Amino acid sequence: ANNSEIGALSRAFQELHRRLKHESSQRMRLEEQRDDMTNMLVHDLKHPLTVLRMALAILNDAPASSRGRQQATALSLAARSSIRMEAMIDGVLQVARLDHAEAPPTFERTPISQFMENCASENEVVVTGSGRPWRLEVAPELSERRMFSHPMLLRRLVGNLVLNAVDHSPEGTPVTLGARRS
């Protein structure tokens, strides 16, 4: 009877050890995912902050004779960037709720040319502020086409790509934002 009790205890401890090891592994994976999410969020928020910084620089550096037009442009960029930052924060909340059926992500059919023009408008100050030539190229056959996407997440992706192009390409390299059929 003593051996069977010791065997049962041994099996129970082994099972407990297995569960603890599994839970520890799960916790480490969740911590890695949290760290990845934090890094992504910091990177994503950097773009609208850069736009805000550039808009404020435009306001600060504008000669008195042209302040009206430049101020209006800079204030518009700053307002759009703050709206984008708020949308990103809402997006983080949406991502946190992706596992919950009551808050599924929303996808939309968006005209490609309109989406690209909005992205170009949002990113222009970052590129031109870096002293780089900037242009938008949308293939003519896409002008009437629509895409099915999550526009906010896709705009974040495009903004990050533009920021990466500015940050990681040789100075003076032109930046082109475009869409074409492959």
Side-chain angles (χ1 to χ4, degrees):
N2 219 3
N3 266 348
S4 66
E5 288 176 7
I6 292 173
L9 279 173
S10 175
R11 285 187 298 278
F13 280 122
Q14 286 174 350
E15 177 62 19
L16 180 61
H17 181 274
R18 186 192 63 75
R19 285 186 193 165
L20 288 173
K21 221 171 142 181
H22 176 73
E23 288 178 15
S24 176
S25 171
Q26 291 277 78
R27 186 174 43 253
M28 286 176 63
R29 194 173 77 241
L30 288 172
E31 287 173 4
E32 286 175 8
Q33 288 175 345
R34 184 199 62 217
D35 290 345
D36 289 346
M37 178 69 141
T38 301
N39 290 334
M40 179 189 73
L41 178 62
V42 167
H43 190 265
D44 285 354
L45 288 173
K46 183 179 178 185
H47 181 264
L49 284 173
T50 301
V51 172
L52 283 170
R53 185 178 48 81
M54 299 298 270
L56 293 172
I58 289 170
L59 288 173
N60 191 44
D61 296 343
S65 61
S66 66
R67 279 208 174 133
R69 188 183 93 253
Q70 286 186 330
Q71 283 180 341
T73 300
L75 288 172
S76 173
L77 288 168
R80 285 188 307 208
S81 288
S82 65
I83 289 167
R84 280 189 65 213
M85 286 176 60
E86 183 178 18
M88 285 180 187
I89 291 166
D90 289 342
V92 169
L93 291 175
Q94 265 192 341
V95 169
R97 295 184 208 140
L98 281 178
D99 290 335
H100 302 285
E102 70 270 6
T106 55
F107 291 86
E108 301 173 10
R109 284 196 144 331
T110 307
I112 293 172
S113 57
Q114 176 189 344
F115 174 81
M116 295 302 291
E117 287 169 11
N118 289 342
C119 287
S121 174
E122 291 172 359
N123 290 285
E124 181 176 15
V125 71
V126 173
V127 179
T128 58
S130 72
R132 296 166 190 270
W134 168 248
R135 68 180 174 265
L136 170 65
E137 292 180 0
V138 177
E141 66 270 15
L142 297 180
S143 64
E144 300 299 318
R145 304 284 308 239
R146 293 178 173 270
M147 61 183 183
F148 188 66
S149 68
H150 190 295
M152 184 201 60
L153 292 176
L154 196 54
R155 277 197 351 255
R156 284 172 52 192
L157 173 69
V158 170
N160 285 334
L161 290 171
V162 169
L163 197 56
N164 286 343
V166 169
D167 288 346
H168 302 292
S169 62
E171 201 169 310
T173 302
V175 176
T176 302
L177 179 62
R180 66 176 183 244
R181 238 182 138 143
S182 59

